[in-house]
Amino acid sequence: MHSLNIFCHEFVVAVSFVACIIGLLLLWDGQQQTNDVEETERILFRMSFSYWLVYCLAFGLEKMVLPNWDYVLMTLKITTALSYFLTFSCIVSLPLHKFAVHRVEE
């Protein structure tokens, strides 16, 4: 039963890796935004997708690295933790930014 949960998590991470790449491709826009609010939101979205992409890569590498490479495993675990928290902070910043802009407009 425990191995089934690990497999499901790895599958979700693999699917979200592909979704991050698609999200970054959709956000790829060559034209300059004239509105600072839209540009800030676009940057926050890009950052959240990028940080989650780093999480997915580090998580995948952590599963593939040999168990006797302690320094590499520790570095990958630190990278996954940092990218997880950075993704969370970007996701939390999006509604806070919208609220702050709405507050300024009033």
Side-chain angles (χ1 to χ4, degrees):
M1 185 68 174
H2 180 66
S3 63
L4 181 64
N5 290 338
I6 291 174
F7 177 72
C8 289
H9 180 69
E10 290 172 355
F11 178 74
V12 169
V13 170
V15 169
S16 67
F17 174 79
V18 174
C20 283
I21 293 173
I22 292 170
L24 285 172
L25 290 175
L26 289 174
L27 288 172
W28 190 271
D29 191 12
Q31 63 185 5
Q32 290 287 344
Q33 297 290 330
T34 57
N35 191 354
D36 288 340
V37 175
E38 291 177 8
E39 184 65 25
T40 304
E41 289 178 5
R42 186 177 293 268
I43 288 170
L44 283 171
F45 271 118
R46 284 181 187 160
M47 287 171 52
S48 61
F49 282 131
S50 299
Y51 290 142
W52 191 252
L53 193 65
V54 170
Y55 172 82
C56 294
L57 286 172
F59 181 80
L61 287 173
E62 186 180 331
K63 297 299 177 186
M64 290 190 290
V65 170
L66 296 173
N68 58 355
W69 292 4
D70 293 332
Y71 295 117
V72 175
L73 280 176
M74 184 59 67
T75 304
L76 288 172
K77 287 181 182 184
I78 291 170
T79 303
T80 55
L82 286 176
S83 61
Y84 187 84
F85 290 126
L86 286 170
T87 304
F88 178 75
S89 68
C90 286
I91 290 171
V92 169
S93 296
L94 277 166
L96 291 175
H97 173 69
K98 278 203 176 275
F99 180 72
V101 168
H102 181 20
R103 189 83 156 183
V104 169
E105 289 176 355
E106 290 179 353

